[in-house]
Amino acid sequence: MSILTLPCHAISFLDPIDKQFDIGSYLAENAYGFLPVPMIITEPAVGYGGGIVGVFLHESAEEKEARKQKALASFDGGAQLMPAGVTAAGVAATQNGTWLAFAGHRHSWLKDSIRYIGGAGGGRFNIDIYSDLGGLLPSDRTISFGTETEGGAIFQHVQFRIAKTPLFLGLKQIWSHTSLSSDNPIVDAILRSTIGETMNNSGLGLQAEYDTRDNLFFPKNGYQASAEYMVYNKALGGDYNYQILRLDGQIFVPITEQWTIAFAGNYQDFSTNEYSLPPTARPFIELRGVPSFRYQGDQIAAAQTQVNYFITPRWTVSGFYGLGYRQQESLKDSSQTVDAYGVGFRYQLARRYGIHMGVDLAASKDDKAFYISMGSGF
């Protein structure tokens, strides 16, 4: 990993407490400081590839000084403060022709009473879609066909804290314009006759989130629960009518000073009265080691657990296991389960912000993959 630096004699890459490599001072005290996050893509759905993401942290001079003093007073002190504003921008590409360019920003105001996240991106995604032909095939004998989706999208959501509680309520908006084709001539003809050459998709939804995690990037204690109901509708400027309910939860429990255990769960419910929808519209099982869009359905559920062992305050190793379930409603209802497991490690790269980076190695019955990750992995 290389770090872009500008001449600045006051900035040190050694932490003042443990004398280990740390870029917290660089991020905070260099006006152009950013964290370059390399992307080595091994996502089975798109193949091998790579990219780079620049992560910029925004704080006022007062916020920087307060975080610095907290970090000098205790090892995890700076990471406990209100998250800084974050901007990320990056590009990536893979061997199957998939590419992506994007930018996004997260910020909070009024002592974290208002939170905003927004972003935009464009690219081309070459993804295999699996189908049981409406229930005519057994769920473990699905056929696959290649799809190419090209276009752009924007999203944003804003949340408001309720009084001084950890509860946030908010709104979310998504819009995209894409074209869709398939490398299978028969499938391509069906897509063009049922969906068309270009698509607009527009959704608006409500969110609720309860968050007591002690750090945005790598929590060690606390929990987070969220509910989201998105309505995609022609009245909002899209071409399709459907709804998605999504529930997520994470729990982080410190067992001892060196051991923590974490749990995460996800449930998604998809509903529509339309027969012709983009093949990527339905939700899918999201687990490390499971290809994206491999297991789509009308109901999706997944549960994960992860055990972390802190060798030192800087170095952490982990083991994780996840189980996913999908239910497809069609001519013949079908269901399927898949599990995934793996190991990983993290290094605390910026102590005053609680930023950890590392690698996860994961496997399922379908594939194996490794991920360069910033954060817990959930």
Side-chain angles (χ1 to χ4, degrees):
M1 178 186 302
S2 62
I3 305 295
L4 177 64
T5 61
L6 295 177
C8 184
H9 300 292
I11 295 176
S12 172
F13 289 97
L14 293 180
D15 187 272
I17 291 183
D18 64 359
K19 308 304 180 182
Q20 300 297 306
F21 177 75
D22 189 285
I23 65 170
S25 176
Y26 167 80
L27 293 175
E29 299 172 26
N30 186 341
Y32 303 98
F34 72 98
L35 174 63
V37 181
M39 298 173 63
I40 298 179
I41 302 173
T42 60
E43 166 58 52
V46 295
Y48 294 99
I52 186 73
V53 179
V55 179
F56 301 79
L57 303 178
H58 310 286
E59 290 180 304
S60 67
E62 295 176 352
E63 291 170 336
K64 290 178 182 179
E65 183 61 26
R67 186 181 296 275
K68 179 179 179 180
Q69 295 305 318
K70 285 282 187 180
L72 290 173
S74 66
F75 198 85
D76 293 327
Q80 310 298 320
L81 296 181
M82 182 186 74
V86 180
T87 298
V91 294
T94 72
Q95 65 184 145
N96 78 344
T98 293
W99 65 270
L100 171 67
F102 63 91
H105 180 73
R106 180 192 188 276
H107 209 91
S108 62
W109 294 273
L110 301 178
K111 298 182 179 180
D112 202 29
S113 294
I114 302 174
R115 294 177 178 178
Y116 173 84
I117 298 178
R124 180 175 63 231
F125 302 89
N126 298 325
I127 298 174
D128 287 342
I129 299 297
Y130 296 80
S131 173
D132 60 4
L133 300 181
L136 297 177
L137 298 176
S139 59
D140 59 350
R141 293 291 187 271
T142 56
I143 63 171
S144 66
F145 56 90
T147 65
E148 179 182 289
T149 303
E150 188 168 2
I154 61 173
F155 79 94
Q156 56 184 342
H157 71 83
V158 60
Q159 296 176 315
F160 300 90
R161 186 187 295 272
I162 303 303
K164 295 184 179 180
T165 72
L167 176 63
F168 288 84
L169 300 179
L171 297 171
K172 182 176 181 179
Q173 184 259 338
I174 298 176
W175 178 87
S176 66
H177 175 80
T178 56
S179 62
L180 177 66
S181 61
S182 174
D183 58 4
N184 184 308
I186 297 176
V187 173
D188 190 61
I190 294 173
L191 291 175
R192 290 180 182 275
S193 63
T194 58
I195 298 177
E197 295 186 2
T198 61
M199 305 170 293
N200 290 318
N201 206 7
S202 182
L204 186 65
L206 299 174
Q207 288 184 316
E209 182 178 17
Y210 195 89
D211 191 354
T212 66
R213 294 172 298 176
D214 59 357
N215 181 255
L216 172 67
F217 300 107
F218 195 80
K220 299 178 183 178
N221 195 6
Y223 58 91
Q224 179 262 353
S226 64
E228 175 182 292
Y229 185 70
M230 291 292 300
V231 175
Y232 296 84
N233 198 280
K234 296 176 183 178
L236 298 172
D239 296 330
Y240 313 101
N241 296 325
Y242 61 92
Q243 304 82 42
I244 299 179
L245 170 67
R246 180 178 180 121
L247 306 176
D248 288 281
Q250 300 178 7
I251 301 175
F252 299 87
V253 181
I255 302 174
T256 68
E257 189 172 328
Q258 291 182 287
W259 292 90
T260 64
I261 187 168
F263 304 92
N266 165 259
Y267 173 78
Q268 300 177 74
D269 181 85
F270 178 91
S271 59
T272 185
N273 292 322
E274 295 196 12
Y275 293 100
S276 299
L277 289 171
T280 55
R282 282 179 167 79
F284 55 90
I285 294 175
E286 302 173 23
L287 291 175
R288 285 169 287 182
V290 176
S292 298
F293 295 98
R294 176 62 179 87
Y295 298 96
Q296 290 180 275
D298 295 309
Q299 285 84 41
I300 298 292
Q304 305 179 65
T305 184
Q306 178 169 297
V307 176
N308 296 324
Y309 176 70
F310 292 84
I311 302 173
T312 70
R314 288 281 178 180
W315 290 96
T316 308
V317 293
S318 63
F320 52 88
Y321 176 81
L323 181 66
Y325 170 85
R326 74 162 187 130
Q327 174 75 33
Q328 179 69 47
E329 298 175 358
S330 52
L331 296 175
K332 181 181 178 182
D333 291 354
S334 62
S335 62
Q336 200 169 5
T337 60
V338 62
D339 65 342
Y341 50 89
V343 296
F345 75 88
R346 297 290 187 275
Y347 178 78
Q348 187 164 195
L349 196 59
R351 183 177 62 82
R352 69 169 71 180
Y353 294 100
I355 296 177
H356 294 63
M357 285 189 63
V359 173
D360 287 329
L361 305 175
S364 67
K365 67 178 182 179
D366 300 296
D367 226 313
K368 297 181 177 66
F370 71 94
Y371 309 87
I372 292 183
S373 303
M374 184 176 76
S376 66
F378 287 156

Short mmCIF file of all heavy atoms in Angstrom, two decimals, residues 197-218:
data_model
loop_
_atom_site.label_atom_id
_atom_site.label_comp_id
_atom_site.label_asym_id
_atom_site.label_seq_id
_atom_site.Cartn_x
_atom_site.Cartn_y
_atom_site.Cartn_z
N GLU A 197 -35.13 -1.69 -24.35
CA GLU A 197 -33.68 -1.51 -24.43
C GLU A 197 -33.14 -0.67 -23.28
O GLU A 197 -32.00 -0.84 -22.86
CB GLU A 197 -33.31 -0.87 -25.77
CG GLU A 197 -33.60 -1.76 -26.97
CD GLU A 197 -33.08 -1.15 -28.26
OE1 GLU A 197 -32.46 -0.07 -28.20
OE2 GLU A 197 -33.29 -1.75 -29.32
N THR A 198 -33.92 0.28 -22.78
CA THR A 198 -33.49 1.11 -21.66
C THR A 198 -34.54 1.08 -20.56
O THR A 198 -35.72 0.82 -20.82
CB THR A 198 -33.23 2.57 -22.09
OG1 THR A 198 -34.45 3.12 -22.59
CG2 THR A 198 -32.16 2.63 -23.16
N MET A 199 -34.09 1.37 -19.32
CA MET A 199 -34.98 1.30 -18.17
C MET A 199 -34.72 2.48 -17.24
O MET A 199 -33.56 2.86 -17.03
CB MET A 199 -34.74 0.00 -17.39
CG MET A 199 -34.87 -1.27 -18.20
SD MET A 199 -34.27 -2.70 -17.25
CE MET A 199 -32.52 -2.33 -17.14
N ASN A 200 -35.79 3.02 -16.70
CA ASN A 200 -35.71 3.96 -15.59
C ASN A 200 -36.29 3.29 -14.36
O ASN A 200 -37.35 2.66 -14.43
CB ASN A 200 -36.49 5.25 -15.89
CG ASN A 200 -35.84 6.09 -16.96
OD1 ASN A 200 -34.62 6.25 -16.97
ND2 ASN A 200 -36.63 6.62 -17.87
N ASN A 201 -35.58 3.42 -13.25
CA ASN A 201 -36.06 2.85 -12.00
C ASN A 201 -35.97 3.92 -10.92
O ASN A 201 -34.94 4.56 -10.76
CB ASN A 201 -35.23 1.63 -11.59
CG ASN A 201 -36.00 0.67 -10.74
OD1 ASN A 201 -37.21 0.81 -10.55
ND2 ASN A 201 -35.33 -0.34 -10.21
N SER A 202 -37.08 4.14 -10.20
CA SER A 202 -37.11 5.22 -9.22
C SER A 202 -37.85 4.75 -7.99
O SER A 202 -38.96 4.20 -8.08
CB SER A 202 -37.80 6.46 -9.81
OG SER A 202 -37.80 7.52 -8.88
N GLY A 203 -37.21 4.96 -6.82
CA GLY A 203 -37.81 4.51 -5.59
C GLY A 203 -37.69 5.54 -4.49
O GLY A 203 -36.77 6.36 -4.45
N LEU A 204 -38.66 5.50 -3.58
CA LEU A 204 -38.69 6.38 -2.42
C LEU A 204 -39.11 5.55 -1.22
O LEU A 204 -40.02 4.71 -1.33
CB LEU A 204 -39.68 7.53 -2.64
CG LEU A 204 -39.74 8.64 -1.58
CD1 LEU A 204 -38.42 9.40 -1.53
CD2 LEU A 204 -40.89 9.58 -1.88
N GLY A 205 -38.45 5.76 -0.08
CA GLY A 205 -38.77 4.92 1.06
C GLY A 205 -38.57 5.58 2.40
O GLY A 205 -38.01 6.68 2.51
N LEU A 206 -39.03 4.87 3.43
CA LEU A 206 -38.91 5.29 4.82
C LEU A 206 -37.87 4.43 5.52
O LEU A 206 -37.73 3.23 5.21
CB LEU A 206 -40.25 5.16 5.54
CG LEU A 206 -41.41 6.00 4.98
CD1 LEU A 206 -42.69 5.64 5.71
CD2 LEU A 206 -41.11 7.48 5.12
N GLN A 207 -37.15 5.02 6.46
CA GLN A 207 -36.13 4.31 7.22
C GLN A 207 -36.28 4.57 8.72
O GLN A 207 -36.70 5.65 9.13
CB GLN A 207 -34.73 4.77 6.80
CG GLN A 207 -34.27 4.30 5.44
CD GLN A 207 -32.83 4.74 5.20
OE1 GLN A 207 -32.46 5.86 5.49
NE2 GLN A 207 -32.03 3.85 4.68
N ALA A 208 -35.92 3.58 9.49
CA ALA A 208 -35.80 3.73 10.94
C ALA A 208 -34.53 2.99 11.36
O ALA A 208 -34.27 1.88 10.90
CB ALA A 208 -37.01 3.17 11.66
N GLU A 209 -33.73 3.61 12.23
CA GLU A 209 -32.47 3.00 12.66
C GLU A 209 -32.22 3.31 14.13
O GLU A 209 -32.42 4.44 14.58
CB GLU A 209 -31.31 3.52 11.82
CG GLU A 209 -29.96 2.90 12.18
CD GLU A 209 -28.83 3.41 11.29
OE1 GLU A 209 -29.02 4.45 10.62
OE2 GLU A 209 -27.77 2.78 11.27
N TYR A 210 -31.81 2.28 14.86
CA TYR A 210 -31.43 2.43 16.26
C TYR A 210 -29.98 1.98 16.39
O TYR A 210 -29.66 0.82 16.10
CB TYR A 210 -32.34 1.58 17.15
CG TYR A 210 -32.28 1.92 18.62
CD1 TYR A 210 -33.13 2.88 19.15
CD2 TYR A 210 -31.38 1.29 19.47
CE1 TYR A 210 -33.09 3.20 20.51
CE2 TYR A 210 -31.32 1.61 20.82
CZ TYR A 210 -32.18 2.56 21.33
OH TYR A 210 -32.13 2.88 22.66
N ASP A 211 -29.09 2.88 16.79
CA ASP A 211 -27.65 2.61 16.68
C ASP A 211 -26.93 3.01 17.97
O ASP A 211 -26.89 4.19 18.33
CB ASP A 211 -27.08 3.40 15.50
CG ASP A 211 -25.66 2.99 15.15
OD1 ASP A 211 -25.07 2.17 15.88
OD2 ASP A 211 -25.15 3.49 14.12
N THR A 212 -26.37 2.02 18.67
CA THR A 212 -25.57 2.30 19.87
C THR A 212 -24.13 1.82 19.71
O THR A 212 -23.40 1.72 20.70
CB THR A 212 -26.18 1.61 21.11
OG1 THR A 212 -26.09 0.18 20.96
CG2 THR A 212 -27.64 1.98 21.28
N ARG A 213 -23.69 1.51 18.49
CA ARG A 213 -22.32 1.05 18.28
C ARG A 213 -21.31 2.11 18.72
O ARG A 213 -21.54 3.31 18.55
CB ARG A 213 -22.11 0.69 16.81
CG ARG A 213 -22.92 -0.50 16.33
CD ARG A 213 -22.79 -0.67 14.83
NE ARG A 213 -23.30 0.50 14.11
CZ ARG A 213 -23.25 0.65 12.79
NH1 ARG A 213 -22.68 -0.29 12.04
NH2 ARG A 213 -23.74 1.74 12.22
N ASP A 214 -20.19 1.64 19.26
CA ASP A 214 -19.20 2.58 19.80
C ASP A 214 -18.27 3.15 18.74
O ASP A 214 -17.47 4.03 19.03
CB ASP A 214 -18.39 1.92 20.92
CG ASP A 214 -17.64 0.68 20.46
OD1 ASP A 214 -17.78 0.28 19.28
OD2 ASP A 214 -16.92 0.09 21.28
N ASN A 215 -18.37 2.65 17.50
CA ASN A 215 -17.53 3.19 16.43
C ASN A 215 -18.18 2.89 15.09
O ASN A 215 -18.77 1.82 14.90
CB ASN A 215 -16.12 2.57 16.48
CG ASN A 215 -15.21 3.13 15.38
OD1 ASN A 215 -14.95 2.45 14.40
ND2 ASN A 215 -14.75 4.35 15.55
N LEU A 216 -18.08 3.83 14.16
CA LEU A 216 -18.69 3.65 12.84
C LEU A 216 -17.94 2.61 12.02
O LEU A 216 -18.56 1.83 11.28
CB LEU A 216 -18.69 5.00 12.10
CG LEU A 216 -19.11 4.98 10.62
CD1 LEU A 216 -20.59 4.61 10.50
CD2 LEU A 216 -18.84 6.34 9.98
N PHE A 217 -16.60 2.54 12.14
CA PHE A 217 -15.80 1.72 11.24
C PHE A 217 -15.56 0.31 11.75
O PHE A 217 -15.59 -0.65 10.98
CB PHE A 217 -14.45 2.41 10.98
CG PHE A 217 -14.57 3.78 10.37
CD1 PHE A 217 -14.32 4.92 11.11
CD2 PHE A 217 -14.94 3.92 9.04
CE1 PHE A 217 -14.43 6.17 10.55
CE2 PHE A 217 -15.05 5.18 8.46
CZ PHE A 217 -14.80 6.31 9.22
N PHE A 218 -15.30 0.15 13.05
CA PHE A 218 -14.97 -1.16 13.60
C PHE A 218 -15.51 -1.25 15.02
O PHE A 218 -14.76 -1.08 15.99
CB PHE A 218 -13.45 -1.37 13.57
CG PHE A 218 -13.02 -2.80 13.78
CD1 PHE A 218 -13.05 -3.70 12.74
CD2 PHE A 218 -12.59 -3.23 15.03
CE1 PHE A 218 -12.65 -5.02 12.93
CE2 PHE A 218 -12.19 -4.55 15.23
CZ PHE A 218 -12.22 -5.44 14.16
#
